[in-house]
Amino acid sequence: MIIKLAAQHRLPAVYSGRDFVTGGGLMSFGPDRVDQYRRAAAYVDRILKGENPADLPVQAPTKYELVINLKTAKALGLTVPDSLLARADEVIE
C-alpha cells in the first residue's frame, strides 16, 4: 500500500528493504538480510556447541545493499546519475 501511495502521489521514496523495490518502489538502502541470516547461523552453531547466549556479543549489520528500480525512476520522470547506478548492488530495469 505504501508503494502504491508513493506512486499515486509521484513521490520518490527510499525504502529499508529490497522487497519494496522489487514491488515497484524507487530504491532501497538497508542491511543485507542474507548476510544477517548467515551470521545468525554462526551464533546458533556456537550456542548448540555449548556457549552461553548471554556471553555472545550483540552484532550490528556490517553489510548494506543499495537497490534501484529504473522502471520506477522513469515513471516518476527521474534520471538516476551514473555514479549512483555504479554504486548500486542491484539495478532493476
Side-chain angles (χ1 to χ4, degrees):
M1 183 172 204
I2 293 172
I3 297 168
K4 184 179 176 183
L5 285 171
Q8 224 173 14
H9 295 285
R10 300 187 51 78
L11 295 172
V14 178
Y15 301 94
S16 62
R18 70 179 304 112
D19 296 337
F20 289 100
V21 180
T22 57
L26 177 60
M27 66 177 60
S28 69
F29 183 74
D32 182 339
R33 289 197 166 80
V34 173
D35 182 59
Q36 287 183 298
Y37 292 139
R38 280 190 201 114
R39 294 174 63 203
Y43 263 39
V44 169
D45 180 57
R46 290 172 67 179
I47 292 166
L48 292 175
K49 288 180 178 174
E51 285 192 53
N52 182 355
D55 294 336
L56 297 175
V58 174
Q59 291 188 351
T62 57
K63 187 175 177 187
Y64 292 83
E65 65 179 354
L66 172 64
V67 182
I68 301 171
N69 187 327
L70 287 180
K71 183 177 177 183
T72 302
K74 184 177 179 180
L76 293 171
L78 299 173
T79 302
V80 180
D82 290 336
S83 59
L84 188 58
L85 291 173
R87 290 180 176 215
D89 295 292
E90 183 178 351
V91 176
I92 299 170
E93 295 190 45

